[in-house]
């Protein structure tokens, strides 16, 4: 089942979720690694080029994900979810999306502050807007870094909440996002 239903996520939504998650973790790890590279390190130029290329591909992928999400029905909340859990989940999801896009925009502003475009694996060049504000590279760099840390904190809370639902509440929250179709889907209207 490719599309979402009122009781479960479709395989396209699941694919978008997990590929985004893996890519974001990979970008965070690579970004964390590359900030300490020195000029004489063999990855000094390669790591940022990979980071930028994958980041721009992720941007396009996230735009597709948002369009897909807008066109799909959202599975109903499980009856076991409290009002607080429902509201917190909605807020966290929206903040996660917002952070991802702001982090990517800040990355673009870091990389293009000198007026040069960004090459995606030396195939396509995304043009630069140039410097829009004074100290753009430094300011965008701080925004990129600290929002990435905040994103990782929220992703950790998101994952812990899913594990809490699975192991403590023993509900189908996590099963729905890994594609397990269970016979007894206890859902409620939003």
């Amino acid at each position: 089942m490719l599309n979402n239903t009122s009781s479960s996520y479709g395989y396209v939504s699941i694919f978008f979720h997990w590929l985004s998650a893996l890519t974001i973790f990979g970008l965070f790890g690579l970004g964390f690694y590359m900030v300490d590279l020195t000029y004489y390190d063999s990855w000094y130029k390669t790591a940022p080029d990979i980071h930028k290329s994958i980041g721009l591909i992720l941007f396009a992928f996230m735009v597709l994900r948002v369009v897909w999400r807008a066109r799909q029905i959202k599975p109903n909340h499980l009856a076991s979810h409290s009002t607080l859990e429902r509201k917190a989940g909605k807020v966290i999801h929206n903040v996660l999306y917002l952070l991802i896009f702001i982090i990517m925009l800040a990355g673009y502003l870091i990389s293009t502050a000198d007026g040069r475009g960004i090459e995606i694996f030396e195939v396509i060049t995304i043009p630069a807007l140039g410097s829009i504000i004074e100290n753009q590279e430094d300011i965008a760099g701080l925004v990129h870094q600290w929002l990435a840390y905040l994103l990782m904190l929220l992703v950790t809370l998101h994952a812990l909440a899913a594990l809490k639902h699975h192991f403590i509440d023993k509900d189908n929250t996590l099963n729905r996002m890994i594609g397990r179709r269970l016979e007894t889907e206890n859902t409620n209207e939003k």
Side-chain angles (χ1 to χ4, degrees):
M1 157 179 15
L2 295 178
N3 294 311
N4 296 352
T5 67
S6 62
S7 64
S8 64
Y9 290 97
Y11 291 126
V12 174
S13 294
I14 293 168
F15 171 76
F16 276 134
H17 177 269
W18 290 108
L19 186 60
S20 299
L22 292 172
T23 304
I24 289 166
F25 277 117
L27 285 171
F28 181 80
L30 182 59
F32 193 78
Y33 166 74
M34 72 186 194
V35 296
D36 290 328
L37 295 175
T38 65
Y39 180 77
Y40 298 103
D41 194 299
S42 63
W43 275 80
Y44 181 76
K45 181 166 174 13
T46 305
D49 288 347
I50 292 171
H51 187 83
K52 293 175 208 177
S53 294
I54 293 174
L56 286 167
I57 292 168
L58 177 64
F59 177 79
F61 184 77
M62 288 298 297
V63 169
L64 288 174
R65 181 177 178 184
V66 168
V67 169
W68 178 262
R69 183 178 183 195
R71 298 186 60 135
Q72 292 292 301
I73 64 170
K74 187 172 188 318
N76 296 329
H77 290 285
L78 297 176
S80 61
H81 292 177
S82 71
T83 302
L84 176 63
E85 288 172 323
R86 292 173 191 201
K87 288 180 180 178
K90 183 175 184 172
V91 168
I92 292 292
H93 278 104
N94 289 334
V95 169
L96 288 172
Y97 276 91
L98 182 64
L99 283 174
I100 291 166
F101 280 105
I102 293 172
I103 290 166
M104 290 187 288
L105 175 62
Y108 171 81
L109 293 174
I110 295 166
S111 300
T112 60
D114 63 0
R116 288 183 289 167
I118 304 171
E119 289 190 26
I120 301 177
F121 294 115
E122 298 180 2
V123 175
I124 300 170
T125 301
I126 303 300
L129 295 175
S131 186
I132 299 169
I133 60 171
E134 191 174 331
N135 298 321
Q136 176 173 309
E137 188 173 3
D138 294 333
I139 293 168
L142 287 173
V143 169
H144 190 75
Q145 177 184 8
W146 288 105
L147 290 186
Y149 287 135
L150 178 59
L151 178 65
M152 288 300 108
L153 174 67
L154 292 178
V155 166
T156 301
L157 291 175
H158 177 67
L160 289 173
L163 293 173
K164 175 242 182 215
H165 281 288
H166 190 73
F167 292 110
I168 295 172
D169 299 344
K170 299 193 184 314
D171 67 25
N172 293 326
T173 302
L174 184 59
N175 288 326
R176 294 195 312 176
M177 193 41 74
I178 61 174
R180 283 188 65 199
R181 308 281 185 237
L182 302 174
E183 294 299 318
T184 57
E185 294 285 348
N186 188 16
T187 59
N188 235 355
E189 289 299 319
K190 299 181 218 177

